[in-house]
């Protein structure tokens, strides 16, 4: 079967995914999908599947991917069926308050990066700067200086020889070094291999609402060091995020309230892009359904979506089994809880096909309807798999039996990833984000950029007779079609871009997806350059009220190198 790959998809595949001998690409995209499908289908034999079943599943997985209805996270595409065989994108490692633990974790993070995974850490257990070090009588360096060591180690290790490692650092808001943490990325040259997020607690948010103080606590002895104004700290986070998008925030208590396996510990961190909260030593395999492909004749084909959910969950459960893990401890944790994260991409494209503007109430209802459906069927299928393969090992101690559920193959089934690379391969809009621009340049590979006209826009412009090269050029300069007299008004509304969408609407969409997602939702609220600190504060508070698990903001032009740019200023 011919795969409908865009020129950009082929560029990205050749650069990073297809097998090479030296610098020569020795695999076609078909070969790659066949390699992955075969490898993931082999797992069927562990559950009594004979050769015939394996072949049937291989073909189904192959069709699933080559139709671009679903793609697994990048490490699976890159590594399945190869020597490395490390298939997971997300890991969290513990950082305890000792030199041994810190440097052990730096080593383990390097091993994970080398295998194509990203790592998240909580630095909240480290004693603060200038605290006592008993063994030497010296003073402690504090979390931020250790983050710099992690950052340097990451700098020298390339992920699977293809991309630089990505890290998440989380510090709880009651850590004495929190102010230093909040501003630790204000210089764009610092901690370049980290995303940072402040871990907010309910206690802190209550204090913000009440205009009260809250305690900073030394994690070494749990003693209160001082009390500070919650609003002052909140405003610092806002100011810093306004400057360059860092830090983000995560609501840790909320994440733990929904931790399906609390007996295995507290969740203190997420993966690098924030969508996957994990226990220390857990990893997670992600995969995303291309919603654009679920629309037929202006309607969502729910029967197709259901079938796609089922086969995708089976695929992801198989990957847990097929994967090699960089550490035995990680393997044990993964096979205990068997977390997978099925999500979506192409949501904005799907809305366009349904003729629903992203910034409308109908879009929120559609988000909710789709994700509720995916969540529901992913759970039913995970139960079906449990009947054939058994529940995840930690099931008895999980929250499921208390809810009257008797079997479940996976502790979690849903996560909404950013789909940064796989959405390029699928030629779909990324994750649940709105269109960034109707025509734009995309900086994909270090210093290379690709020019793109949105395929649905091109199609509509041609069929409605307003397509011209000059118009596309003009749109590429300004990104949006708003106010262009050449573009009919209904099309202007339908092709609304991120910066034209009220920040509140971004959060409402995120929240609609979050209501039906086990893990978290990757979403950046994009602001225009002229957005104020108050605008940022409002979005943070809104994300709290609407029960998101965290949020990231970005104000246009506030960082030098952006992934997506409009115009030719890059
Ligand atoms: O599209 P792709 O599968 O490459 O990844 P994504 O959906 O953009 O990101 C999913 C997760 O992959 C991130 O949250 C990270 O855990 C990991 N990742 C990474 O380790 N390094 C990157 N350069 C990008 C993503």
């Amino acid at each position: 079967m011919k795969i409908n790959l865009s020129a950009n998809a082929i560029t990205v595949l050749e650069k990073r995914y297809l097998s090479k001998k030296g610098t020569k690409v020795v695999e076609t995209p078909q070969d790659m999908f066949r390699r992955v499908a075969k490898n993931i289908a082999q797992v069927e034999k562990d559950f009594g599947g004979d050769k015939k079943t394996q072949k049937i599943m291989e073909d189904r997985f192959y069709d699933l991917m080559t139709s671009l209805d679903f793609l697994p996270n990048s490490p699976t595409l890159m590594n399945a069926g190869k020597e490395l065989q490390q298939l997971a994108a997300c890991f969290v490692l513990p950082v305890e308050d000792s030199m041994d633990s810190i440097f052990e974790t730096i080593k383990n993070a390097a091993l994970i990066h080398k295998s194509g995974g990203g790592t998240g850490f909580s630095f909240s257990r480290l004693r603060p700067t200038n605290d006592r070090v008993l063994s030497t009588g010296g003073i402690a360096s504090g979390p931020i200086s250790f983050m710099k060591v992690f950052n340097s180690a990451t700098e020298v290790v390339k992920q699977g020889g293809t991309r630089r490692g990505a890290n998440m650092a989380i510090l709880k808001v009651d850590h004495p070094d929190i102010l230093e943490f909040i501003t630790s990325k204000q210089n764009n040259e610092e901690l370049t291999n980290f995303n940072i997020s402040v871990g907010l607690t309910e206690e802190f948010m209550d204090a913000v609402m009440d205009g009260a103080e809250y305690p900073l606590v030394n994690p070494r002895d749990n003693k209160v060091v001082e009390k500070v104004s919650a609003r002052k700290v909140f405003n610092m986070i806002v100011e810093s995020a306004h400057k360059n998008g860092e830090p983000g925030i995560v609501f840790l208590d909320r994440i733990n309230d929904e931790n399906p396996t609390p007996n295995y510990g507290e969740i203190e961190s997420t993966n690098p892009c924030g969508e996957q909260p994990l226990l220390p030593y857990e990893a997670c395999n992600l995969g995303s359904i291309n919603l654009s492909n679920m629309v037929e004749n202006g309607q969502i084909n729910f029967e197709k979506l259901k079938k796609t959910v089922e086969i995708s969950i089976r695929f992801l459960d198989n990957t847990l089994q097929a994967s090699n893990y960089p550490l035995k401890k990680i393997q044990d944790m993964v096979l205990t809880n068997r977390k997978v994260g099925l999500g979506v991409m192409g949501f904005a494209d799907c809305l366009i096909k349904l003729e629903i503007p992203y910034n409308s109430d109908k879009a929120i209802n559609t988000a909710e309807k789709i994700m509720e459906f995916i969540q529901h069927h992913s759970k039913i299928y995970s139960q079906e798999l449990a009947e054939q393969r058994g529940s995840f090992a930690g099931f008895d101690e999980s929250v499921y039996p208390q809810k009257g559920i008797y079997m479940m193959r996976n502790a979690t089934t849903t996560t909404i990833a950013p789909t940064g690379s796989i959405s390029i391969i699928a030629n779909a809009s990324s994750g649940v984000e709105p269109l960034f621009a109707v025509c734009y340049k995309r900086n994909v590979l270090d210093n290379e950029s690709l020019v793109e006209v949105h395929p649905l826009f091109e199609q509509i412009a041609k069929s409605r007779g307003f397509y011209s090269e000059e118009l596309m050029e003009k749109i590429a300069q300004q990104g949006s079609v708003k106010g262009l007299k050449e573009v009919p008004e209904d099309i202007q509304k339908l092709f609304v871009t991120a910066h034209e969408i009220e920040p509140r609407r971004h959060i409402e969409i995120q929240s609609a997806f979050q209501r039906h997602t086990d893990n978290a939702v990757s979403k950046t609220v994009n602001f225009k350059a002229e957005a104020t600190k108050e605008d940022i504060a409002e979005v943070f508070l809104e994300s709290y009220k609407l029960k998101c698990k965290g949020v990231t903001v970005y104000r246009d032009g506030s960082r030098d190198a952006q992934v997506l740019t409009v115009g030719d200023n890059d």
Side-chain angles (χ1 to χ4, degrees):
M1 193 181 87
K2 196 180 167 311
I3 315 174
N4 199 3
L5 292 169
S6 70
N8 293 343
I10 291 168
T11 309
V12 170
L13 285 171
E14 285 179 350
K15 188 104 178 180
R16 288 194 175 144
Y17 293 77
L18 304 178
S19 300
K20 287 184 187 153
K21 274 217 173 83
T23 53
K24 196 169 170 277
V25 176
V26 293
E27 202 177 41
T28 64
Q30 278 89 341
D31 295 339
M32 175 191 78
F33 288 121
R34 184 56 71 183
R35 160 170 61 75
V36 177
K38 189 169 179 172
N39 183 261
I40 303 303
Q42 270 170 14
V43 170
E44 299 288 328
K45 76 167 175 287
D46 294 1
F47 307 108
D50 55 13
K51 281 260 177 275
K52 201 172 141 212
T53 313
Q54 284 173 49
K55 181 67 183 142
I56 292 170
M57 288 318 295
E58 177 188 323
D59 289 344
R60 288 184 64 194
F61 290 154
Y62 180 79
D63 292 346
L64 179 71
M65 291 184 286
T66 52
S67 58
L68 303 173
D69 286 350
F70 161 92
L71 288 178
N73 55 208
S74 289
T76 302
L77 291 175
M78 290 168 176
N79 302 334
K82 300 219 283 213
E83 202 179 325
L84 200 50
Q85 194 62 26
Q86 197 297 101
L87 312 181
C90 316
F91 295 79
V92 163
L93 293 173
V95 185
E96 300 293 343
D97 189 28
S98 74
M99 282 296 178
D100 261 6
S101 165
I102 293 169
F103 284 90
E104 177 71 16
T105 287
I106 291 176
K107 179 187 86 184
N108 292 337
L111 293 175
I112 292 170
H113 293 163
K114 229 176 101 185
S115 74
T119 44
F121 320 93
S122 159
F123 288 90
S124 306
R125 290 168 184 262
L126 297 191
R127 70 191 70 187
T129 317
N130 295 334
D131 198 34
R132 280 183 308 151
V133 178
L134 294 180
S135 55
T136 60
I139 52 168
S141 318
I144 290 87
S145 48
F146 285 114
M147 280 164 61
K148 290 180 184 160
V149 184
F150 278 72
N151 193 64
S152 305
T154 306
E155 192 67 33
V156 294
V157 184
K158 275 202 165 180
Q159 281 179 312
T162 52
R163 56 187 186 184
R164 182 92 23 84
N167 297 300
M168 168 65 89
I170 289 185
L171 197 70
K172 250 173 96 179
V173 72
D174 66 358
H175 192 283
D177 286 358
I178 193 66
L179 299 186
E180 192 193 344
F181 180 79
I182 291 169
T183 53
S184 64
K185 286 208 65 179
Q186 288 301 278
N187 175 348
N188 288 327
E189 311 297 312
E190 291 274 6
L191 297 172
T192 45
N193 301 309
F194 269 100
N195 293 325
I196 63 167
S197 275
V198 180
L200 303 183
T201 57
E202 289 298 315
E203 183 191 6
F204 174 80
M205 289 311 293
D206 287 345
V208 171
M209 299 300 171
D210 298 345
E213 292 191 327
Y214 78 104
L216 298 185
V217 180
N218 184 337
R220 181 175 55 80
D221 55 12
N222 281 327
K223 290 213 171 103
V224 176
V225 176
E226 61 175 315
K227 287 196 154 197
V228 288
S229 152
R231 281 199 186 156
K232 185 181 142 216
V233 173
F234 182 79
N235 288 339
M236 271 189 75
I237 300 172
V238 167
E239 196 166 312
S240 195
H242 178 259
K243 269 195 198 134
N244 70 351
E246 299 266 18
I249 53 174
V250 291
F251 298 111
L252 286 180
D253 290 339
R254 199 166 276 171
I255 285 172
N256 278 294
D257 283 348
E258 290 179 28
N259 176 1
T261 58
N263 285 354
Y264 285 92
E266 195 182 322
I267 297 177
E268 296 173 56
S269 185
T270 69
N271 68 333
C273 303
E275 71 277 12
Q276 187 62 51
L278 291 170
L279 293 165
Y281 291 116
E282 260 187 332
C284 186
N285 285 57
L286 308 177
S288 302
I289 292 178
N290 181 2
L291 291 178
S292 181
N293 283 10
M294 299 299 129
V295 183
E296 277 166 17
N297 306 320
Q299 285 188 335
I300 294 172
N301 180 340
F302 280 102
E303 197 43 44
K304 179 175 179 187
L305 182 57
K306 175 169 173 267
K307 290 206 173 104
T308 310
V309 168
E310 291 173 349
I311 179 94
S312 302
I313 290 288
R314 189 175 189 119
F315 181 103
L316 290 174
D317 189 63
N318 282 13
T319 59
L320 296 176
Q321 207 83 7
S323 184
N324 280 344
Y325 297 93
L327 291 173
K328 171 84 171 64
K329 264 189 190 162
I330 296 177
Q331 176 169 354
D332 292 345
M333 272 307 276
V334 169
L335 296 182
T336 299
N337 290 336
R338 306 193 71 90
K339 286 185 178 169
V340 297
L342 179 62
V344 299
M345 57 183 156
F347 175 62
D349 295 340
C350 159
L351 288 179
I352 291 170
K353 287 188 178 171
L354 297 173
E355 299 183 9
I356 299 171
Y358 190 97
N359 53 349
S360 65
D361 290 345
K362 245 179 141 179
I364 297 166
N365 295 340
T366 308
E368 187 130 23
K369 206 160 112 192
I370 291 174
M371 205 57 213
E372 188 174 17
F373 186 88
I374 294 177
Q375 175 79 318
H376 178 71
H377 287 286
S378 71
K379 288 279 177 290
I380 291 186
Y381 195 74
S382 181
Q383 281 176 313
E384 260 178 52
L385 276 181
E387 279 165 24
Q388 300 158 20
R389 302 175 171 189
S391 287
F392 63 92
F395 177 83
D396 288 346
E397 292 148 87
S398 76
V399 297
Y400 290 107
Q402 296 154 27
K403 292 182 180 171
I405 293 167
Y406 298 109
M407 288 199 114
M408 193 61 80
R409 180 68 177 158
N410 312 92
T412 69
T413 53
T414 47
T415 303
I416 298 187
T419 70
S421 303
I422 58 168
S423 67
I424 301 177
I425 299 172
N427 201 14
S429 57
S430 29
V432 297
E433 298 290 358
L435 302 188
F436 180 76
V438 180
C439 304
Y440 56 86
K441 290 183 175 183
R442 206 201 270 258
N443 293 336
V444 271
L445 309 165
D446 303 327
N447 289 321
E448 286 175 45
S449 70
L450 304 166
V451 180
E452 294 181 29
V453 177
H454 193 281
L456 292 173
F457 184 76
E458 185 171 342
Q459 205 180 312
I460 291 176
K462 283 181 175 160
S463 72
R464 302 237 328 226
F466 64 88
Y467 182 89
S468 75
E469 294 282 327
E470 304 80 73
L471 181 61
M472 299 305 124
E473 284 277 309
K474 197 164 154 187
I475 299 169
Q477 282 301 315
Q478 68 177 59
S480 128
V481 290
K482 195 174 176 192
L484 284 179
K485 60 179 184 331
E486 298 91 326
V487 180
E489 217 154 281
D490 61 323
I491 300 301
Q492 289 187 26
K493 285 203 179 117
L494 198 55
F495 284 85
V496 62
T497 54
H499 290 140
E500 296 158 57
I501 296 168
E502 284 282 301
R504 201 196 145 80
R505 287 275 180 195
H506 283 267
I507 292 292
E508 284 172 348
I509 292 284
Q510 178 177 344
S511 162
F513 276 104
Q514 183 63 73
R515 279 196 280 283
H516 307 287
T517 302
D518 292 332
N519 296 301
V521 177
S522 167
K523 179 88 188 71
T524 301
V525 178
N526 276 293
F527 285 90
K528 291 185 186 140
E530 59 270 24
T532 63
K533 287 176 204 157
E534 289 70 31
D535 295 333
I536 309 270
E538 195 189 324
V539 156
F540 279 174
L541 291 174
E542 213 47 45
S543 74
Y544 176 66
K545 284 184 204 143
L546 291 184
K547 301 204 166 16
C548 297
K549 287 191 177 163
V551 74
T552 310
V553 299
Y554 184 71
R555 196 164 56 82
D556 195 32
S558 64
R559 230 176 277 157
D560 295 335
Q562 290 181 214
V563 179
L564 301 168
T565 49
V566 176
D568 48 12
N569 56 343
D570 48 320

